[in-house]
Amino acid sequence: MGVSVKCSVEHVLYNSAIEYVLQAGQLIRSHLGNKGKIEQKKNAFDLVTEVDRRSEDLLRRKIHKDYPSHWILSEENCGQANAYEMFKNHDSDYGWIIDPIDGTTNFIHGIPYFAISIGVVKDGEPVIGVVFNPVTDELYTARKTFGAYLNGRPIRVGKESTLAEAVIATGFQASDFRSGSRVVQQIDQLAGRSRNIRLFGSASLDLCLLASGRITGFWHDGLNPWDTAAGILILTEAGGKATDKDGNPYRLSHDSLIASNGRIHGELIETIKL
């Protein structure tokens, strides 16, 4: 396939991904006051609602109809235990990695920080990323080599050059929300060394905040491909850097993520290393 033809194909996929998240966002907004049944997945900190499932069903129907030959990896139809195995088994040609509501706990509690996330990958690498917060109407988008945008305006990572200037975000795995956990120890390592620390509750949006220069760094263990497939591309297209905890270039099969504006990356890795 020639480059121009490939770009044309991915331009169509890009527009489709935007159309799909906007439709899912409309569905979610219509249920803000009526979340339906709430269920636990692994424990009381890991929740799913009827709206998560309806959003995912909508997205899967649209993708299957328009792109029947493409594979789909999605949160509510794939248990965490086999997420990476499924990703490895579908690492060729085009695929869609979706999170119907990233930040379900925020959604349940009426906190306006959650998003629909769609990453389109080609041969295992993100080529399109779209993240939409349906409450704030913030739409983050990126195509590989074409830059990153917020509501159509180009975005870039911040220019902070030291950890002391940086606001850093993180989050807990559902199984790691406890006293003395690794994340708690890492927060303690950062306390007093960074400008401040935030725990927002949606990894895809955290990566977009980083991409738009609102925060300077982000780290998280135990993420799944649907948490990062869109946000990682948006971040890197905005000039950011993403690695695993050892500094190797981040891949969707990795279970640790260190992300930053690039300038503070080494300092961040060294500070949270345990």
Side-chain angles (χ1 to χ4, degrees):
M1 180 181 289
V3 173
S4 61
V5 175
K6 181 178 177 181
C7 289
S8 177
V9 169
E10 292 180 1
H11 179 68
V12 173
L13 294 174
Y14 176 75
N15 288 332
S16 293
I18 292 173
E19 175 190 342
Y20 301 158
V21 297
L22 293 177
Q23 290 183 18
Q26 185 176 7
L27 182 152
I28 291 167
R29 276 196 299 264
S30 72
H31 288 84
L32 288 177
N34 180 20
K35 301 169 185 66
K37 186 179 180 181
I38 299 171
E39 300 174 11
Q40 292 184 21
K41 291 194 281 188
K42 292 185 291 294
N43 56 41
F45 312 121
D46 191 13
L47 305 173
V48 63
T49 70
E50 288 181 24
V51 185
D52 287 84
R53 294 195 170 103
R54 290 183 184 182
S55 175
E56 180 158 316
D57 288 346
L58 181 153
L59 294 171
R60 293 180 73 91
R61 285 198 308 271
K62 293 286 184 181
I63 297 165
H64 278 308
K65 177 178 179 293
D66 294 341
Y67 304 101
S69 66
H70 293 185
W71 54 269
I72 303 173
L73 180 65
S74 54
E75 179 173 15
E76 305 312 332
N77 280 308
C78 171
Q80 184 174 0
N82 62 3
Y84 294 112
E85 196 61 37
M86 287 186 68
F87 177 68
K88 286 187 289 185
N89 291 338
H90 295 87
D91 63 356
S92 62
D93 208 6
Y94 285 107
W96 298 68
I97 303 179
I98 61 179
D99 194 335
I101 301 181
D102 181 26
T104 296
T105 299
N106 286 346
F107 170 69
I108 290 168
H109 288 270
I111 300 168
Y113 194 83
F114 52 86
I116 306 106
S117 173
I118 295 181
V120 181
V121 301
K122 177 70 168 66
D123 300 331
E125 295 294 329
V127 293
I128 292 163
V130 179
V131 176
F132 180 52
N133 182 331
V135 179
T136 63
D137 272 331
E138 290 185 313
L139 176 67
Y140 295 89
T141 60
R143 282 175 62 199
K144 191 172 183 178
T145 75
F146 283 84
Y149 300 85
L150 168 56
N151 292 341
R153 300 187 305 275
I155 53 175
R156 296 293 293 178
V157 294
K159 298 180 179 179
E160 295 84 0
S161 58
T162 66
L163 197 57
E165 303 172 275
V167 174
I168 311 295
T170 189
F172 286 95
Q173 301 180 63
S175 60
D176 204 29
F177 185 49
R178 54 184 171 79
S179 176
S181 68
R182 177 182 172 85
V183 178
V184 170
Q185 295 177 59
Q186 290 172 317
I187 290 172
D188 186 60
Q189 290 287 94
L190 276 171
R193 301 185 187 185
S194 63
R195 179 160 288 167
N196 219 311
I197 298 168
R198 296 288 184 264
L199 289 90
F200 295 114
S202 171
S204 63
L205 281 177
D206 290 348
L207 289 167
C208 291
L209 288 187
L210 177 52
S212 56
R214 297 172 177 181
I215 61 175
T216 319
F218 172 70
W219 89 96
H220 205 302
D221 288 337
L223 294 172
N224 287 293
W226 48 76
D227 297 308
T228 60
I232 283 295
L233 182 67
I234 293 167
L235 170 64
T236 54
E237 286 294 310
K241 184 174 182 177
T243 69
D244 67 6
K245 64 181 184 299
D246 298 315
N248 302 306
Y250 178 77
R251 296 184 62 84
L252 296 180
S253 56
H254 287 161
D255 65 356
S256 66
L257 169 63
I258 313 288
S260 77
N261 67 346
R263 301 184 182 206
I264 67 155
H265 206 85
E267 191 180 3
L268 176 59
I269 288 178
E270 288 302 313
T271 302
I272 64 174
K273 186 178 292 183
L274 295 176

